């Protein structure tokens, strides 16, 4: 901001009302009629709005005070509405001796009523009347509204009498909430005062508990729709958990109970402390700052901090790269820490209201954990805690100071009883964090209690989340504290690192309980036989703790584990096992999803890493729990099947040739299951389908997929067509599976991928199968585009029709692709260094080419076309996307079926693939590896 700009800053309301009224009068007097004046009036007001927004934005960039910006915009809106009203009644609809029935008050409601407006916020107006509407009042209101709409404002409005407001407010919580924030802009102050008095007396009085319960239920539903986490990495700053709407809820409850916003009355009532009120103000200021900057940046009422805007927002807000974290990651960490503080305030308020019998307590807890007088007495006598109103509290304010180990015992006691935490105890916990020092961290009993919490069979995820929310977990384990609220700037991870770790831990407990048997049948089956449950749970809790540093996080995490585990009380053998699991926690997924699990060389290489049946079991369970904790829709059946195949293929090698289920027996079991599923088929048809497929097929696909394939093959055979397809869609995983059966040829995979790209479909994964009789049975996992299943199925059918036309020569792929060039949402915000790895050591007879770069529509088509142009035969392809990053692995040979060993030939392949990924590659660092 230059000195010249600073001197030109205009204070709110950003224009001189007297001058504006004089100018509008001049415009009216120089016009022949009201209609003739209107376009000139509109142009004048548009310039006012433009200059007002510029003044607000300039002030925001100077002082960074978002709340002040929002208040300034609200004041500007007030003055603009007063200006329009005065013009309307002075020149358009003059009122001569208005009767009492023509008294009117223009009132701001909702967010506008609170006196805070973001640049793109809606304007909610109430035209308040003493009796029914009159022609004069209706004309004035209509003129004002149309002028505001023409100025580009989104205006919500209602025209009601006081009696109507009270009746509707009593019956509808949403309307009641909007009226709670009502604020007079102009007009009859006596009428507005009458409304306020009667609203308090006839609607608010005696209904506090009903209103509180309704607003908290509304919040819970809003949170549920937002995946129940304030740690989504693309948060909604208005309606997301820990966002402005949560602060608004606290304001509404305070106004309803005390008649004023969060402040002195809440402190006097014991709801909040002075420090908590200050925390409220700090969170409010930060969120308004972010919201106003976001609206100005996007030029619209955008409430989601999407990946596209996060880097620019970080720059606007003044964040820089530091300590291995990018500016955008530091900005988002700050955001999530504020969201956590908002959540803490909400928890304190709910608990305090329950204590004062103003809010209904959760009813299910009494059913799950009945607390009789005997239990309460034992807790009071044996511990430094007590039970107040079915919540665990401290016996006195010096409990933690007297014995800091109580800071850990408290959570253990709550977990053993299955009850909520008392707000007074939560407040004391947060005020006692400085007591967590190296003496407590190295205290043997404290570490034993913590380890028992971490490895409990009940619900360690919830216990550790409570510790994390209170700030205790990050202080007791500083290594964990470093990743609290840390986001990873990529499209793959949906949650912050600490939230992901806790969800991974929760998933392993769910596997142990059998709650994920449908999704993870193998992990569920082998869990009872593992010998190192404690090490597995600790590894799950620590596996990503090395994130946010310059070194690879798996190596850092293993190093941290070797330091932390002995402190917690693990044996040296357990410590090494935890470190190994963390070091290799990505290995099994990489092998299963980016390697050919039917290739014996792949299995041998993986077995050499795992080395024992116990490690294999633990790594499978950890891998599944880790993937499922990434976010909704990341796990799918294909990933599960590939992991199970890798496990079963590896087990005989690490078990010394001894396995519970030999390979041949597993194939027999798969064939038996298929025959049972196709029991209504003629035996000959079933035998024909079985004979078409290689043995590896029965290990890589599940029975449901085999049945679907059998149907599509039989349909194609009966109809004497060379092409058939099937489509399956799943709204939860947001994946649509398109399986195509067609005669195989060198460019078939490229053609399929091109048809998907030409239809605007983004390929999230692909599974390639070749039958004994020369057909391809390829399945593409497409990112879902439509919410409705019928629409999504029609889209997939259009892709299938496109493939058929291409095979028949009725369409040309380059022409189709030229018509449809789009980008995947969000990927342009990221940079992924392109990389090509050519490896001849992973397979005895095939060359493995691994390509990774930023994903885009048509990428798989372009890569497979390039490989075909290079006279390479693709034996199998393994396509995976990790958010914005595509990792495509191709097993290839030259045209005579040999590996590509010539270095000049390998260099040519690399150059062509780089050219495909980045155009001519100019200015892009090339990374290549040849093995």
């Amino acid at each position: 901001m230059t000195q010249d700009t600073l001197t030109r800053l205009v204070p709110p309301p950003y224009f001189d009302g007297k001058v504006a009224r004089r100018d509008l009068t001049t415009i009216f007097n120089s016009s022949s009629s009201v209609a003739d004046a209107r376009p000139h009036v509109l142009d004048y007001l548009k310039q006012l709005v433009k200059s007002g927004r510029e003044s607000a934005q300039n002030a925001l960039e100077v002082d960074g005070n978002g709340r002040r910006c929002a208040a300034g915009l609200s004041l500007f809106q007030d003055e603009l509405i007063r200006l329009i009203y005065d013009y309307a009644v002075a020149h358009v609809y003059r009122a001569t001796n208005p009767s009492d029935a023509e008294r009117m008050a223009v009132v701001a409601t909702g967010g506008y009523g609170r006196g805070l407006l973001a640049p793109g916020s809606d304007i909610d107006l109430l035209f308040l009347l003493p009796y029914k509407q009159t022609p004069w009042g209706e004309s004035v209101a209509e003129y004002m509204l149309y002028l505001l709409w023409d100025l580009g404002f989104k205006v919500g409005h209602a025209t009601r009498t006081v009696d109507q407001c009270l009746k509707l407010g009593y019956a509808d919580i949403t309307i009641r909430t909007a009226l709670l924030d009502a604020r007079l802009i102009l007009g009859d102050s006596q009428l507005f005062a009458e409304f306020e008095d009667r609203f308090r007396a006839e609607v608010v009085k005696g209904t506090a508990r009903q209103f509180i319960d309704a607003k908290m239920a509304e919040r819970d539903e809003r949170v549920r729709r937002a995946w129940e986490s304030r740690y989504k990495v693309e948060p909604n700053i208005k309606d997301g958990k820990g966002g402005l709407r949560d602060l608004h809820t606290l304001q509404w409850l305070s106004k309803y109970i005390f008649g004023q916003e969060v402040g002195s009355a809440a402190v006097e009532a014991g709801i909040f402390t002075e420090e908590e009120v200050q925390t409220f103000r700090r969170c409010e200021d930060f969120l308004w700052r972010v919201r106003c900057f976001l609206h100005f940046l996007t030029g619209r009422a955008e409430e989601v901090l999407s990946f596209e805007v996060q880097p620019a927002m970080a720059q606007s807000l003044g964040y820089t790269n530091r300590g291995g974290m990018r500016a955008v990651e530091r900005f988002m960490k700050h955001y999530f820490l504020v969201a956590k503080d908002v959540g803490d305030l909400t928890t304190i308020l709910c608990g305090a209201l329950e204590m004062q019998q103003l809010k209904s307590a959760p009813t299910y807890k009494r059913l799950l954990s009945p607390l009789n007088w005997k239990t309460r007495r034992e807790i009071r006598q044996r511990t430094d805690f007590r039970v107040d109103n079915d919540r665990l509290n401290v016996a006195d304010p010096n409990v933690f100071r007297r014995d800091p180990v109580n800071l850990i015992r408290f959570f253990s006691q709550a977990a053993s009883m299955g009850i909520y935490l008392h707000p007074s105890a939560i407040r004391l916990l947060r005020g006692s964090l400085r007591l967590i020092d190296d003496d407590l961290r190295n205290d043997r009993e404290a570490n034993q209690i913590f380890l028992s919490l971490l490895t409990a069979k009940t619900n360690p995820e919830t216990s550790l989340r409570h510790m994390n929310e209170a700030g205790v977990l990050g202080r007791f384990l500083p290594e964990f504290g470093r990743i609290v609220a840390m986001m990873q700037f990529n499209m793959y991870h949906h949650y912050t690192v600490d939230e992901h770790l806790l969800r991974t831990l929760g998933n392993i407990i769910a596997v142990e309980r059998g709650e994920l048997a449908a999704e993870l049948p193998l992990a569920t089956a082998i869990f009872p036989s593992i010998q190192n449950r404690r090490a597995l749970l600790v590894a799950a809790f620590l596996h990503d703790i090395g994130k946010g540093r310059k070194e690879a996080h798996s190596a850092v995490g293993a190093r941290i584990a070797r330091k932390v585990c002995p402190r917690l009380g693990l044996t040296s053998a357990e410590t090494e096992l935890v470190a190994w699991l963390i070091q290799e926690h990505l290995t099994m997924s990489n092998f299963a999803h980016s390697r050919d699990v039917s290739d014996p060389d792949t299995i041998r290489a993986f077995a050499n890493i795992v080395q024992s049946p116990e490690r294999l079991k633990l790594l499978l369970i950890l891998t599944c729990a880790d993937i499922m904790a990434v976010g909704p829709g990341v796990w799918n059946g294909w990933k599960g099947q590939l992991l199970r195949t890798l496990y079963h293929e590896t087990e005989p090698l690490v078990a010394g040739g001894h396995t519970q289920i030999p390979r041949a027996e597993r194939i027999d079991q798969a064939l038996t299951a298929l025959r049972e599923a196709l029991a209504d088929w003629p035996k000959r048809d079933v035998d024909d389908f079985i004979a078409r497929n290689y043995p590896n097929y029965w290990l890589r696909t599940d029975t449901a997929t085999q049945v679907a394939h059998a149907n599509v093959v039989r349909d194609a055979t009966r109809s004497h067509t060379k092409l058939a397809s099937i489509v399956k869609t799943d709204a939860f995983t947001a994946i649509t599976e398109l399986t195509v059966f067609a005669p195989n040829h060198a460019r078939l995979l490229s053609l399929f991928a091109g048809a998907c790209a030409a239809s605007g479909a983004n390929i999230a994964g692909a599974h390639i199968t070749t039958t004994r009789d020369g057909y391809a049975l390829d399945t593409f996992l497409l990112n879902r585009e439509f919410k409705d299943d019928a629409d999504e199925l029609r889209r997939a059918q259009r892709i299938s029709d496109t493939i058929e036309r291409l095979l028949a020569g009725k369409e040309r792929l380059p022409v189709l692709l030229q018509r449809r060039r789009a980008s995947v949402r969000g990927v342009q915000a990221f940079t992924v260094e392109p990389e090509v790895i050519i490896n001849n050591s992973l397979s005895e007879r095939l060359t493995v080419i691994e390509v990774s770069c930023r994903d885009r529509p048509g990428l798989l088509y372009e890569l497979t076309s390039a490989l075909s142009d290079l006279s390479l035969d693709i034996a199998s392809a393994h396509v995976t996307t990790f958010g914005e990053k595509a990792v495509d692995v191709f097993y290839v040979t030259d045209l005579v079926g040999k590996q590509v060993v010539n270095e000049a030939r390998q260099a040519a392949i690399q150059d062509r693939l780089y050219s495909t990924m980045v155009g001519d590659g100019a200015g892009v660092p090339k990374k290549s590896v040849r093995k």
Side-chain angles (χ1 to χ4, degrees):
M1 188 69 64
T2 64
Q3 185 62 39
D4 180 58
T5 303
L6 288 172
T7 58
R8 289 188 290 107
L9 285 179
V10 181
Y14 310 126
F15 69 93
D16 188 320
K18 291 182 179 179
V19 172
R21 283 168 175 79
R22 187 169 61 245
D23 290 345
L24 290 182
T25 298
T26 301
I27 291 173
F28 178 81
N29 291 334
S30 62
S31 302
S32 59
S33 65
V34 170
D36 181 51
R38 192 182 188 282
H40 302 292
V41 170
L42 183 62
D43 288 343
Y44 181 87
L45 294 178
K46 282 183 177 179
Q47 187 58 44
L48 274 188
V49 172
K50 181 182 177 182
S51 62
R53 286 181 180 277
E54 289 175 350
S55 297
Q57 185 172 3
N58 288 338
L60 178 64
E61 291 172 352
V62 169
D63 61 22
N65 192 317
R67 197 178 192 283
R68 188 179 299 158
C69 175
L73 286 169
S74 177
L75 184 57
F76 168 79
Q77 196 69 43
D78 290 351
E79 288 300 315
L80 182 67
I81 289 172
R82 293 183 186 118
L83 176 64
I84 294 173
Y85 176 85
D86 289 348
Y87 175 81
V89 299
H91 303 298
V92 184
Y93 297 105
R94 294 186 179 89
T96 56
N97 298 321
S99 67
D100 287 342
E102 290 174 332
R103 292 163 51 202
M104 181 169 67
V106 180
V107 178
T109 61
Y112 180 31
R114 289 189 293 273
L116 297 170
L117 273 181
S121 292
D122 295 353
I123 311 298
D124 294 319
L125 294 177
L126 168 65
F127 295 93
L128 186 64
L129 309 169
Y131 312 112
K132 66 179 182 178
Q133 178 67 286
T134 65
W136 175 83
E138 184 176 359
S139 298
V140 171
E142 185 179 88
Y143 184 85
M144 293 175 65
L145 288 171
Y146 275 103
L147 208 51
L148 289 168
W149 285 328
D150 288 346
L151 287 170
F153 293 106
K154 290 171 284 185
V155 185
H157 65 96
T159 303
R160 297 184 182 124
T161 65
V162 174
D163 286 339
Q164 288 172 330
C165 288
L166 300 180
K167 182 179 179 180
L168 290 170
Y170 191 85
D172 189 293
I173 289 292
T174 302
I175 295 176
R176 192 187 309 182
T177 305
L179 293 176
L180 187 64
D181 288 322
R183 177 176 57 83
L184 180 66
I185 300 175
L186 62 91
D188 196 320
S189 58
Q190 185 178 352
L191 177 64
F192 181 70
E194 177 192 344
F195 157 75
E196 283 193 306
D197 292 342
R198 290 185 61 190
F199 181 75
R200 262 291 149 195
E202 299 176 31
V203 177
V204 173
K205 186 177 180 180
T207 61
R209 184 163 186 157
Q210 175 212 17
F211 181 78
I212 292 168
D213 286 346
K215 296 314 291 183
M216 297 313 297
E218 180 183 285
R219 175 187 179 273
D220 291 343
E221 174 60 21
R222 175 164 45 81
V223 167
R224 186 193 63 78
R225 291 196 304 267
W227 302 347
E228 302 183 348
S229 175
R230 69 177 63 94
Y231 302 118
K232 282 174 58 181
V233 293
E234 286 188 292
N236 186 311
I237 60 175
K238 178 183 176 184
D239 292 323
K241 190 173 182 181
L244 273 169
R245 187 64 79 204
D246 280 357
L247 290 181
H248 295 161
T249 300
L250 299 183
Q251 293 279 35
W252 291 326
L253 299 185
S254 181
K255 290 179 75 172
Y256 210 91
I257 299 168
F258 308 116
Q260 60 179 251
E261 295 184 346
V262 173
S264 58
V267 174
E268 292 172 6
I271 300 293
F272 289 130
T273 65
E274 290 282 2
E275 292 76 12
E276 287 160 354
V277 171
Q278 291 303 313
T279 297
F280 180 96
R281 299 294 179 213
R282 175 174 53 79
C283 293
E284 186 181 41
D285 288 345
F286 176 82
L287 291 173
W288 271 111
R289 181 186 181 205
V290 172
R291 191 181 185 203
C292 288
F293 266 110
L294 182 59
H295 282 203
F296 280 129
L297 176 68
T298 60
R300 62 181 184 273
E302 180 59 68
E303 309 295 356
V304 176
L305 276 171
S306 63
F307 293 126
E308 294 95 326
V309 302
Q310 286 177 12
M313 285 291 294
Q315 182 179 7
S316 297
L317 293 166
Y319 293 86
T320 57
N321 298 338
R322 186 185 301 169
M325 290 181 65
R326 288 178 283 183
V328 63
E329 292 171 337
R330 293 185 61 234
F331 159 53
M332 294 306 298
K333 178 165 185 171
H334 189 180
Y335 175 88
F336 291 122
L337 288 173
V338 168
K340 177 181 175 296
D341 285 341
V342 174
D344 294 344
L345 291 172
T346 304
T347 300
I348 289 171
L349 177 72
C350 291
L353 293 176
E354 284 178 30
M355 298 302 105
Q356 299 186 15
Q357 305 298 312
L358 289 172
K359 175 183 178 294
S360 300
T363 54
Y364 68 86
K365 66 183 179 183
R366 293 191 178 91
L367 300 176
L368 295 177
S369 181
L371 297 171
N372 56 37
W373 64 269
K374 184 178 179 181
T375 303
R376 296 169 189 266
R377 185 185 65 184
E378 289 178 352
I379 293 169
R380 187 182 292 268
Q381 291 177 345
R382 292 188 298 103
T383 73
D384 287 328
F385 315 123
R386 70 186 187 201
V387 176
D388 289 339
N389 195 33
D390 287 345
R391 288 176 177 266
L392 188 65
N393 200 0
V394 292
D396 63 77
N398 295 316
V399 162
F400 301 133
R401 184 181 301 278
R402 187 166 57 246
D403 184 358
V405 177
N406 278 330
L407 287 160
I408 312 299
R409 287 194 192 104
F410 183 79
F411 295 98
S412 178
Q413 186 68 54
S416 67
M417 300 169 64
I419 63 174
Y420 291 95
L421 310 183
H422 195 284
S424 298
I426 296 173
R427 186 174 289 135
L428 187 61
L429 279 165
R430 294 199 181 95
S432 305
L433 293 178
R434 65 185 181 279
L435 299 175
I436 304 177
D437 54 15
D438 286 342
D439 289 340
L440 180 61
R441 294 184 189 106
N442 294 310
D443 185 273
R444 183 174 181 180
E445 183 185 0
N447 281 286
Q448 286 176 343
I449 295 171
F450 178 76
L451 184 60
S452 66
L453 263 179
L454 170 56
T455 58
K457 291 194 175 185
T458 50
N459 195 352
E461 178 187 1
T462 298
S463 299
L464 295 189
R465 182 170 282 112
H466 287 160
M467 289 187 76
N468 193 32
E469 297 287 353
V472 173
L473 184 55
R475 294 279 296 197
F476 187 66
L477 284 176
E479 298 85 358
F480 188 90
R482 181 173 177 136
I483 53 90
V484 169
M486 178 187 289
M487 67 91 72
Q488 302 160 82
F489 188 60
N490 59 56
M491 292 177 65
Y492 182 59
H493 292 90
H494 293 231
Y495 303 111
T496 56
V497 180
D498 56 328
E499 178 70 6
H500 169 70
L501 292 178
L502 297 179
R503 285 173 178 257
T504 303
L505 180 65
N507 285 340
I508 289 184
I509 297 299
V511 171
E512 183 178 31
R513 291 175 176 173
E515 296 170 359
L516 295 175
E519 297 89 343
L520 305 175
L522 178 58
T524 302
I526 65 175
F527 200 100
S529 67
I530 65 172
Q531 304 299 310
N532 291 275
R533 176 183 180 275
R534 191 162 75 164
L536 174 62
L537 291 171
V538 173
F541 173 63
L542 298 176
H543 74 274
D544 275 350
I545 203 165
K547 289 276 178 86
R549 314 194 191 205
K550 295 179 180 179
E551 192 179 345
H553 78 278
S554 297
V556 174
R559 195 161 57 244
I560 291 173
R562 290 188 175 93
K563 174 185 174 184
V564 170
C565 290
R567 192 193 109 187
L568 296 179
L570 271 66
T571 66
S572 58
E574 286 177 311
T575 297
E576 282 308 308
L577 180 55
V578 171
W580 181 85
L581 285 169
I582 294 173
Q583 181 75 56
E584 304 294 344
H585 75 271
L586 299 175
T587 301
M588 193 168 192
S589 175
N590 290 339
F591 269 82
H593 305 135
S594 300
R595 296 285 180 263
D596 187 351
V597 295
S598 64
D599 188 332
D601 292 333
T602 297
I603 305 304
R604 279 194 293 270
F606 181 63
N608 287 337
I609 296 172
V610 176
Q611 296 184 348
S612 77
E614 175 72 1
R615 282 185 171 187
L616 179 62
K617 293 175 185 177
L618 297 175
L619 193 57
L620 172 75
I621 297 169
L622 177 59
T623 300
C624 294
D626 184 16
I627 295 173
M628 294 190 79
V630 169
V634 174
W635 177 266
N636 58 48
W638 281 107
K639 291 179 179 178
Q641 183 62 33
L642 290 171
L643 285 167
R644 289 190 291 273
T645 299
L646 178 59
Y647 176 91
H648 285 305
E649 291 293 297
T650 306
E651 187 189 23
L653 299 185
V654 297
H658 302 286
T659 179
Q660 294 178 351
I661 309 177
R663 190 173 193 272
E665 185 178 336
R666 285 191 287 117
I667 294 175
D668 288 341
Q669 288 177 352
L671 295 178
T672 300
L674 177 67
R675 292 184 187 279
E676 290 175 356
L678 300 178
D680 56 338
W681 277 36
K683 182 177 181 301
R684 179 178 177 180
D685 288 357
V686 178
D687 291 341
D688 285 346
F689 177 71
I690 292 174
R692 282 178 180 266
N693 292 289
Y694 293 101
N696 292 329
Y697 171 81
W698 309 108
L699 302 176
R700 291 190 296 109
T701 54
D702 57 24
T703 303
T705 301
Q706 294 162 12
V707 170
H709 288 176
N711 277 289
V712 74
V713 170
R714 185 172 71 162
D715 290 346
T717 304
R718 286 182 173 181
S719 60
H720 302 290
T721 60
K722 292 188 176 182
L723 173 72
S725 64
I726 51 173
V727 179
K728 183 174 74 172
T729 189
D730 187 337
F732 176 74
T733 62
I735 289 290
T736 294
E737 294 181 13
L738 171 63
T739 300
V740 183
F741 177 71
N744 196 22
H745 63 77
R747 290 185 177 269
L748 187 65
L749 176 60
S750 175
L751 183 144
F752 287 174
C756 292
S759 301
N762 186 54
I763 299 173
H767 305 278
I768 313 302
T769 301
T770 304
T771 65
R772 293 180 187 271
D773 55 345
Y775 276 78
L777 194 55
D778 296 346
T779 297
F780 295 91
L781 308 184
L782 310 177
N783 290 126
R784 189 177 170 106
E785 183 174 338
F786 298 103
K787 290 184 178 180
D788 185 72
D789 282 356
D791 292 336
E792 187 65 18
L793 292 173
R794 279 192 290 270
R795 179 181 77 125
Q797 187 57 51
R798 286 197 298 272
I799 297 173
S800 179
D801 293 342
T802 299
I803 293 173
E804 185 173 5
R805 291 196 303 274
L806 289 168
L807 287 172
K810 296 179 180 178
E811 295 273 13
R812 294 184 63 249
L813 194 50
V815 176
L816 293 178
L817 287 170
Q818 195 60 38
R819 296 178 195 159
R820 184 69 180 258
R821 288 290 180 185
S823 61
V824 182
R825 188 205 69 79
V827 298
Q828 298 301 323
F830 302 93
T831 300
V832 178
E833 182 179 348
E835 181 178 20
V836 178
I837 300 174
I838 298 179
N839 197 319
N840 281 316
S841 64
L842 296 177
S843 175
E844 288 185 353
R845 61 185 184 85
L846 300 168
T847 294
V848 180
I849 301 176
E850 180 176 331
V851 176
S852 59
C853 63
R854 190 170 66 186
D855 192 23
R856 65 173 184 267
L859 177 63
L860 181 59
Y861 161 72
E862 294 172 21
L863 292 173
T864 51
S865 294
L867 293 174
S868 296
D869 291 344
L870 290 163
S871 300
L872 296 173
D873 185 25
I874 302 173
S876 67
H878 309 270
V879 179
T880 311
T881 56
F882 299 93
E884 75 284 356
K885 183 177 182 179
V887 179
D888 298 345
V889 179
F890 305 95
Y891 281 67
V892 304
T893 64
D894 60 20
L895 292 183
V896 295
K898 302 293 184 181
Q899 284 186 327
V900 180
V901 295
N902 183 277
E903 290 192 3
R905 183 101 160 86
Q906 290 183 3
I909 293 171
Q910 287 175 334
D911 288 343
R912 175 60 188 274
L913 291 177
Y914 276 123
S915 177
T916 300
M917 288 188 287
V918 297
D920 62 359
V924 178
K926 296 182 178 181
K927 184 177 179 181
S928 63
V929 180
R930 300 176 197 166
K931 297 181 181 179

